[in-house]
Amino acid sequence: MTVRTGTAPVHTADELRRRLQRIDGRGYKAYKTLQGAYDLGDFVLHLVHVQGDPFATPSRVHVWVPQAVAGFPSWSYQSEARAIGVAHLLARTFAEKARRLSRPRGSGHSGRIEMDRPGQEVLPRTAVRLTAEGIEARFSVGLPAYGRRIDANEARALLLEDVPRVVRESLRFAAYDPETVRTFAEVNEDATWLRAQLPSWGLVAFVANGACLPRRSGVDERPLEEGAVLFKAPPSLRREVVLPSGRRLTGMGIPAGVTLIVGGGYHGKSTLLRALERGVYNHEPGDGREFVVTVPDAVKIRAEDGRSVAGVDLSPFIRNLPSGIDTRAFSTTNASGSTSQAAAIQEALETGTSLLLIDEDTAATNFMVRDRRMQRLVPGTQEPITPFIDRVRQLYETRGVSTILVVGSSGDFFDVADTVIKLHEYRVEDVTEAAREIARQFPSERTPVTDNPFQEPSVRRVPDPSSVSLQKGKRSSYARARGRETLQIGTTLIDLRAVEQLVHVAQTRAIGQALAYACRRYLDGHRPIPEIVAAVLEDIDRAGLDVLDPKGLLDLAGFRAQELAAALNRLRTLRVRVEPPA
Ligand code: ADP
Ligand code: MG
């Protein structure tokens, strides 16, 4: 950061007081003279950007607390995963203290101290970073005014009393119970390690015994408190592991291949699948899903009618449309349930995935399965859709892509499953043998589609640079998150409601910046989508999220290639040139 690398001169606290005195009562714009760094003794306060108006987006502040003051022991940041786990705790505490300790000090946002509160998922964030040298925190403050005049007294209280108090109570080791810090460090490191082991164990997911999967409500991601049935692995799928911290875990390993989750309505199927979806991320201690992990490239697939699709090869699933439209490069501004689901699978394969997650609750039935009777009435030659049931094994056998599928309604899937898990009153049983036996006794007599479209690599989709515009009025690079679910790019809104593995507004914001960054660097009319996405992710891996926001004005959180691609794929203006594979 700027202060640490010493590019900006660092002024004294007295200088800050003098500058405030000078501008007291003047028009708000005079606050701009405060921009700069100040040594407040225990930490450096850097006013990076000053708002133009008390009602505008608040001003941006970075603070730097050297480790000599912060006092975090080296075990708390000795690995990246530990540092991220502890930074999550600090950001959560900072956000809460800021909300509690800051108070209105005039008009508009005057007096506010704000940092995004992290959710249940532990993500790398620009808001708080912990290293051997110290802690950097980035947040916003509303510089005080009465009307539109500067209130220097209130500003002094905000910057020299409120902010230091929040910093003292959240960014120093002494403010915490050391065991809490240790838990945040170790759990995050353990979960990261556990996820990394899955492929070598032949697994795509692991769910620890004792995990609490249900959430408090549909709008509250915290764990259910009353009456939660904690997870317990069935003996046949039980695995024991020893984590880096020395902690021993027992739990259920879900093997690679095709896995069904069956069971009666309301018995907890979707809850298990949702935990697996979010298992691509680590969770904070106490969440209940700390040791529910999924391979990092797992993608939730669902129907999403109405979405746009640009030049996607749907032919493995949809062919011979009555209109004669070629589905090898299919575009629409209004997809149906089945076409949207086919597009989602093809897009996931394009970006790269080793596990698809599908819930019947959000899947298009005609996309998933067609039974024997319907096959008789409407023969294959008259039906454009090859249902997923006929592709799911091919996906695994030719591409190595596993699937976990919630199906309460169709036993036809027994024929294609490697593992069948049943939920009964929120308890898991392994019913693989029983399902096999039933499949033997009652053949489905479906006629499976046997041609294999997954051996050929799919087409390359090259975005037309002129179809991705960030122009909005005079601004050439406009990208704004409007909550987690909506991203505005230029004048176009991207609907991300169905992108369920996007979990925090700071990710949406980062993806907005990533699209702008991709436009500047990589969207050149030659690179195909997966290459563009990979190039952005590589830059972030190498140089951090700051490459997307060099001035550090935004709270950004880490995101996956899958969600960046999902956003680009849902941009309604997107046009692509379709090329044969290189
Ligand atoms: P299904 O998909 O089988 O119909 P859901 O997963 O939607 O069932 O779960 C139904 C309800 O049961 C939800 O309100 C959910 O929060 C609750 N639930 C799920 N799993 C558990 C559990 N392990 N303990 C307690 N309640 C649970
Ligand atoms: Mg369900």
Side-chain angles (χ1 to χ4, degrees):
M1 75 163 229
T2 27
V3 172
R4 187 164 23 128
T5 53
T7 50
V10 179
H11 305 287
T12 61
D14 280 339
E15 175 62 16
L16 177 57
R17 285 192 193 92
R18 272 194 296 278
R19 289 184 181 183
L20 277 170
Q21 202 53 53
R22 231 176 282 146
I23 58 175
D24 190 29
R26 288 176 52 190
Y28 204 83
K29 291 271 188 287
Y31 262 137
K32 296 269 183 204
T33 60
L34 292 190
Q35 246 160 240
Y38 303 90
D39 186 345
L40 302 190
D42 283 351
F43 65 94
V44 174
L45 174 101
H46 191 184
L47 272 159
V48 175
H49 174 80
V50 171
Q51 67 205 93
D53 178 289
F55 300 90
T57 308
S59 304
R60 195 68 178 161
V61 176
H62 297 178
V63 304
W64 171 250
V65 192
Q67 232 20 302
V69 175
F72 281 84
S74 60
W75 55 256
S76 63
Y77 50 76
Q78 77 189 15
S79 70
E80 196 192 352
R82 284 187 177 211
I84 289 171
V86 175
H88 174 94
L89 171 65
L90 305 196
R92 201 183 76 174
T93 309
F94 190 106
E96 279 164 7
K97 297 275 178 197
R99 195 163 26 103
R100 214 139 11 98
L101 300 178
S102 68
R103 53 194 197 80
R105 293 185 176 278
S107 52
H109 303 301
S110 292
R112 273 208 218 159
I113 306 173
E114 281 178 339
M115 179 186 281
D116 267 353
R117 191 190 188 287
Q120 298 296 110
E121 283 77 22
V122 178
L123 306 169
R125 291 174 177 278
T126 57
V128 176
R129 262 172 302 196
L130 173 66
T131 66
E133 290 79 48
I135 294 166
E136 189 198 29
R138 300 174 175 184
F139 53 96
S140 300
V141 300
L143 291 173
Y146 47 92
R148 286 193 159 78
R149 305 243 149 242
I150 288 172
D151 190 332
N153 271 331
E154 293 295 335
R156 199 176 303 121
L158 169 68
L159 296 174
L160 296 168
E161 288 165 29
D162 296 356
V163 168
R165 179 145 179 229
V166 174
V167 168
R168 207 165 47 238
E169 294 188 15
S170 63
L171 303 182
R172 291 189 320 163
F173 185 64
Y176 296 88
D177 170 7
E179 277 319 297
T180 304
V181 179
R182 185 175 285 281
T183 304
F184 274 74
E186 288 185 350
V187 164
N188 208 51
E189 185 174 60
D190 281 348
T192 299
W193 179 87
L194 186 61
R195 185 177 299 102
Q197 307 314 305
L198 294 174
S200 67
W201 295 338
L203 302 179
V204 289
F206 179 89
V207 185
N209 284 358
C212 175
L213 308 186
R215 299 294 98 189
R216 210 162 291 181
S217 82
V219 292
D220 187 343
E221 272 292 305
R222 289 174 298 171
L224 181 67
E225 278 177 321
E226 298 261 308
V229 174
L230 302 185
F231 191 86
K232 189 156 177 285
S236 53
L237 296 173
R238 190 181 295 154
R239 294 271 180 153
E240 286 187 30
V241 300
V242 182
L243 299 173
S245 67
R247 181 200 290 257
R248 281 173 182 281
L249 277 186
T250 305
M252 174 176 78
I254 300 183
V258 178
T259 301
L260 306 183
I261 300 174
V262 304
Y266 226 65
H267 280 255
K269 304 184 295 296
S270 295
T271 302
L272 172 57
L273 194 80
R274 210 162 304 122
L276 296 173
E277 283 162 44
R278 298 221 169 190
V280 299
Y281 302 116
N282 290 348
H283 287 86
E284 65 172 36
D287 173 82
R289 300 168 297 184
E290 296 93 311
F291 301 113
V292 180
V293 294
T294 314
V295 285
D297 58 2
V299 178
K300 170 70 177 293
I301 300 293
R302 55 170 289 169
E304 185 186 352
D305 54 306
R307 66 161 282 193
S308 61
V309 174
V312 177
D313 177 9
L314 304 184
S315 64
F317 298 104
I318 300 172
R319 286 180 289 195
N320 309 324
L321 290 177
S323 54
I325 288 174
D326 184 1
T327 56
R328 280 172 305 177
F330 186 81
S331 299
T332 179
T333 55
N334 188 7
S336 68
S338 53
T339 46
S340 62
Q341 208 172 335
I345 292 176
Q346 294 298 87
E347 289 165 349
L349 295 176
E350 181 186 62
T351 310
T353 182
S354 58
L355 176 64
L356 303 178
L357 301 165
I358 303 179
D359 190 333
E360 63 183 353
D361 292 355
T362 50
T365 309
N366 62 335
F367 177 78
M368 298 304 291
V369 61
R370 224 146 51 85
D371 67 11
R372 167 198 180 191
R373 286 179 169 161
M374 197 53 85
Q375 285 183 324
R376 289 289 151 82
L377 190 64
V378 184
T381 51
Q382 294 173 21
E383 169 57 76
I385 299 175
T386 303
F388 189 68
I389 189 169
D390 288 326
R391 295 297 186 218
V392 64
R393 281 227 70 77
Q394 296 167 356
L395 269 173
Y396 181 58
E397 281 159 17
T398 69
R399 302 275 296 251
V401 179
S402 297
T403 297
I404 300 175
L405 201 60
V406 171
V407 276
S409 60
S410 175
D412 285 2
F413 276 98
F414 295 171
D415 292 329
V416 296
D418 298 299
T419 307
V420 185
I421 292 167
K422 179 176 160 190
L423 275 160
H424 179 65
E425 293 174 354
Y426 314 129
R427 289 181 177 82
V428 173
E429 299 163 28
D430 178 357
V431 295
T432 308
E433 280 315 312
R436 287 222 178 101
E437 185 50 40
I438 290 166
R440 265 194 298 275
Q441 272 184 35
F442 307 98
S444 82
E445 292 175 2
R446 291 186 72 254
T447 316
V449 178
T450 48
D451 67 331
N452 189 339
F454 286 111
Q455 261 151 2
E456 303 295 312
S458 217
V459 293
R460 284 158 51 99
R461 296 190 300 141
V462 178
D464 172 353
S466 72
S467 74
V468 186
S469 169
L470 283 97
Q471 193 82 36
K472 179 174 178 281
K474 276 180 282 178
R475 310 181 57 167
S476 63
S477 192
Y478 187 90
R480 281 276 185 294
R482 311 236 168 270
R484 183 202 70 78
E485 298 179 336
T486 310
L487 185 58
Q488 182 170 352
I489 295 295
T491 55
T492 315
L493 294 178
I494 306 179
D495 183 350
L496 298 168
R497 269 175 304 178
V499 183
E500 290 169 297
Q501 290 166 297
L502 187 67
V503 296
H504 197 276
V505 62
Q507 287 184 310
T508 310
R509 202 178 284 130
I511 286 173
Q513 297 307 308
L515 287 173
Y517 179 84
C519 279
R520 292 194 296 273
R521 300 253 174 151
Y522 300 121
L523 223 134
D524 55 6
H526 300 290
R527 288 187 173 87
I529 289 176
E531 225 174 279
I532 294 168
V533 167
V536 174
L537 270 288
E538 267 164 40
D539 290 353
I540 295 170
D541 259 1
R542 205 182 45 247
L545 286 164
D546 283 355
V547 296
L548 304 179
D549 172 31
K551 290 186 189 155
L553 301 180
L554 302 168
D555 275 347
L556 304 181
F559 57 87
R560 305 186 304 162
Q562 284 75 14
E563 279 69 40
L564 175 55
L568 182 56
N569 283 323
R570 281 164 181 73
L571 178 65
R572 289 191 168 272
T573 55
L574 179 70
R575 285 187 312 273
V576 301
R577 193 176 70 243
V578 174
E579 293 180 346

